DNA sequence: GTGAAAGCGCTAACAT
DNA sequence: ATGTTAGCGCTTTCAC
């Protein structure tokens, strides 16, 4: 299997072949200007012929900071697997990273292993920066990152002083959703989420309350219990006399929409459903989900931009990216008058 | 932002602190036996106090082969994003990799960039092995990998002489599906796939034909055209007088099941649908999909095992992993007698 | 059982 | 514009 001794060319070999010194080769491959065009060309050709590229590891050892982004996801593999968001994220990260010659190191961990992995990856210098997702309230990672002095950016959580963040503008979104629902006659709306400990949850709750007030809507809150025997029935049994719900993920919303009719709640006739994320899943179920699309790709690109400046030592500040778009589909309609008359 | 000069400890610092030489430290961290238990303990403690771990890059430079697996996926980000298989794969890879101290480098590329990325990652020694997925018929990567002499294993494609593969046993699965369908009275069944150029497609077609013959079922074939204005209508218009279809992915199947009734084909009354993959998507649509679950996690673990032996230079042979399980749900039922009487 | 020293492939001063 | 040289942090003979 390993018949050919996999001896890979070295910079010395390339130099020899091009009739120059190793440093000349190095200069060329690091865009330094002190090499004549002619020699540069010879060098590049020699490198091509030998199929040589600067060894990534050696490069790192000799000072030139590496190019690897660490993404450590602390989710059980099933909740990870059910969330199309991560696919969008990985896909969105991939292109801007490739543009700057970085690669992505990805892993899944249990929460109690999280800190260890961050430490190890950083100590071993496997990665040169981190992207933090699923930031929880009082997330210990913020502190950890600070102590490690590792470059990092937070994705999708409220801005924190120590670690720059990329967030999606939410306010207009709530405004749009509640305007839509108010127009349809809804007066009682619940917001349901499945991760009450995530950092953005409180902020969203607050914005929801504000926007609701502006439209004469009475807000309420409910938490999705994935452990329940029948999570949808469980939830529906707890949300009270609302005529619409805003659900924090489109997958949850899809489950609700698919299952609710089977337990006597027709959608959207009895209950309107809005999903706070959008993906191909939204149009897979019937009725198709009215959903808010988030600019995941743009967030990813912005994050990579921040990261790059961060490792270069440039000053960097948190950024927010373009708003969400409300995709009105079939899971929302006029409020049932029965309940409507209740307020 | 970078207030603390991020000077990380070196092996020398650890050695000094433990009152030994650098090589002693190295020995301890490489499990070499020539260090007394007492000194080893002191060394480990010193390392802990300094939060030191052997620098990954330096280690690689000094010969000790690295620990990074490259996964290069040549799909448009939307088809990547819609396929829960990849999430399962990544999740399944993550744990066995962590166990042997490897990390996963993941990227998405356009097909025409594929070869370049493999070459670069290998030449730069960013990765130390590759996992090949979505292997196409006459896939140029097999040849490329051979020329690079890079350790690699193929996932989910027929066994090739040069690169060891992990495949899922399929034969029993077709047998099970066709038995199920035959029992329900189906005599004409179509297999539909969306990637006719994938290496496993032909093999599956063949097995399908064999199994069908064994059950007196007339097999036919159709290709899903994602570019069509209405792919479901398009497909249904082309499949001919079949009463059941076996669809190569559960996402495609889900779309069919969701959309078919809207264009006058009720499922399963008029058409039974079997999905050749399973995931949470299968139970999201109504009717829930009868589907074949594949042991993705087991495949991933097996692949990692092969890889590890491969980089160690051990001999390695292709392996097949446990069969698929047929999850009978609601998208299959008795064949409509109208069409049934046709054969 | 422990340490000295050479070397891995590259980059970066510093000559020339 | 090009070459020389000294590291980078680690592993690994090979002495002690």
């Amino acid at each position: 299997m390993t018949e050919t001794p996999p001896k890979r060319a070295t910079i010395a070999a390339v130099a020899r072949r091009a009739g120059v010194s190793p440093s000349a080769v190095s200069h060329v491959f690091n865009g330094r200007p002190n090499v004549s065009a002619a020699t540069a060309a010879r060098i590049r050709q020699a490198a091509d012929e030998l199929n040589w590229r600067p060894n990534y590891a050696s490069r790192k050892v000799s000072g030139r900071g590496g190019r690897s982004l660490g993404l450590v996801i602390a989710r059980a593999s099933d909740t990870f697997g059910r969330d199309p968001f991560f696919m969008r994220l990985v896909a969105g990260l991939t292109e801007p990273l490739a543009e700057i010659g970085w690669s992505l190191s990805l892993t899944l961990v249990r929460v109690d292993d999280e800190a260890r992995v961050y430490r190890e990856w950083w100590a071993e210098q496997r990665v040169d920066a981190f992207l933090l997702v699923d930031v929880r309230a009082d997330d210990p990672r913020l502190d950890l990152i600070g102590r490690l002095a590792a470059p990092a950016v937070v994705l999708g959580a409220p801005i924190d002083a120590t670690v720059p963040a990329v967030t999606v503008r939410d306010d207009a979104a709530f405004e749009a959703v509640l305007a839509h629902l108010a127009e349809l006659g809804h007066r009682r709306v619940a917001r349901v989420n499945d991760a009450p400990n995530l950092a953005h949850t409180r902020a969203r709750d607050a914005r929801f309350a504000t926007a609701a007030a502006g439209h004469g809507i009475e807000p309420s809150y409910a938490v999705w219990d994935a452990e329940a025997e029948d999570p949808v029935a469980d939830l529906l049994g707890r949300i009270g006399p609302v005529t619409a719900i805003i659900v924090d993920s489109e997958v949850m919303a899809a489950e609700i929409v698919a299952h609710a009719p089977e337990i006597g709640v027709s959608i959207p006739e009895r209950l309107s459903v809005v999903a706070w994320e959008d993906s191909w899943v939204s149009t897979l179920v019937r009725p198709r989900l009215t959903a808010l699309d988030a600019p995941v790709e743009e967030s990813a690109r912005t994050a990579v931009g921040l990261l790059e400046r961060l490792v270069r030592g440039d000053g960097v500040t948190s950024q927010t990216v373009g708003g969400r778009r409300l995709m009105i589909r079939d899971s929302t309609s006029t409020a049932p008058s029965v309940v409507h008359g209740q307020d």
Side-chain angles (χ1 to χ4, degrees), chain A:
Chain A
M1 210 117 280
T2 320
E3 300 166 14
T4 327
K7 276 292 164 220
R8 283 175 267 190
T10 71
I11 198 174
V14 175
R16 223 174 298 124
R17 178 174 255 262
V20 297
S21 80
S23 54
V25 179
S26 174
H27 287 158
V28 170
F29 275 82
N30 287 289
R32 247 175 295 280
N34 24 337
V35 170
S36 71
T39 24
R42 250 187 318 139
I43 290 174
R44 289 199 175 283
Q45 192 188 338
D48 277 358
E49 289 167 2
L50 265 40
N51 211 318
W52 177 87
R53 299 297 240 102
N55 180 316
Y56 175 75
S58 303
R59 208 174 216 187
K60 264 186 94 153
V61 170
S62 50
R64 190 165 200 80
R67 330 189 133 279
S68 171
L69 174 64
L71 179 56
V72 179
I73 300 175
R75 291 215 187 183
S77 54
D78 61 321
T79 59
F80 166 74
R82 310 171 76 90
D83 198 340
F85 165 77
F86 285 111
M87 310 289 285
R88 284 185 75 178
L89 177 60
V90 169
L93 243 20
T94 246
E95 190 170 314
L97 283 176
E99 284 167 14
I100 61 173
W102 280 55
S103 51
L104 176 69
S105 286
L106 175 66
T107 197
L108 251 59
V109 297
R110 287 166 313 145
V111 213
D112 51 303
D113 245 17
E114 194 180 31
R116 191 182 58 71
V117 173
Y118 278 94
R119 270 182 213 289
E120 270 188 25
W121 280 19
W122 183 247
E124 294 182 354
Q125 302 188 43
R126 262 169 196 282
V127 298
D128 309 286
F130 288 104
L131 182 66
L132 269 38
V133 298
D134 280 348
V135 176
R136 306 179 285 278
D138 301 319
D139 199 302
R141 287 179 293 171
L142 264 17
D143 200 64
L144 177 57
I145 290 297
R147 285 211 309 282
L148 298 178
V153 356
V154 162
L155 197 72
I159 292 157
D160 169 273
T162 63
V163 181
V166 175
T167 45
V168 177
R169 273 191 293 280
D170 262 2
D171 10 17
F174 272 115
E175 190 39 41
V177 172
L178 287 166
H180 173 59
L181 292 177
E183 193 184 320
L184 293 172
H186 296 273
R187 324 304 304 160
R188 294 165 176 273
V189 177
R191 198 176 103 72
V192 0
N193 75 279
D194 63 341
N197 58 337
L198 287 195
H200 58 61
T201 301
R202 295 179 197 171
R204 283 194 191 160
D205 282 349
R207 295 218 189 83
F208 171 51
T210 310
H215 287 281
I217 285 178
E218 183 181 322
S220 60
Y221 307 86
V223 174
W224 171 269
D225 176 15
E227 302 303 312
E229 197 191 333
D230 183 337
V232 175
D234 170 65
L235 178 80
L236 264 27
R238 288 190 282 109
I239 52 169
V242 305
T243 59
I245 57 180
I246 302 174
V247 184
D248 243 7
S249 99
E250 86 280 19
V251 177
M252 251 188 299
E255 285 186 35
I256 294 171
V257 152
H259 192 51
E262 299 170 343
I263 53 182
V265 178
S266 59
I267 290 171
E269 293 76 14
R270 278 273 301 279
L271 185 70
S272 284
V273 176
V274 178
W276 193 263
E277 292 290 341
D278 194 22
S279 77
W280 53 279
V281 172
S282 305
T283 53
L284 202 56
V285 290
R286 296 294 182 275
R288 294 176 177 84
L289 297 174
T290 291
L292 279 152
D293 185 43
V296 178
E297 291 73 17
E298 192 190 342
S299 301
R301 183 171 284 278
T302 306
V304 172
L306 286 186
L307 244 2
E308 200 224 349
R309 268 176 281 150
L310 212 49
V311 299
R312 285 211 319 250
D314 293 10
V316 144
T317 52
S318 294
Q319 290 190 224
T320 66
V321 299
R324 295 164 175 272
R325 290 175 328 174
L326 179 59
M327 316 294 286
I328 298 180
R329 291 191 275 247
D330 316 323
S331 64
T332 45
S333 72
T334 53
S337 45
V338 207
V339 181
H340 188 190
Q342 196 171 69
D343 67 328

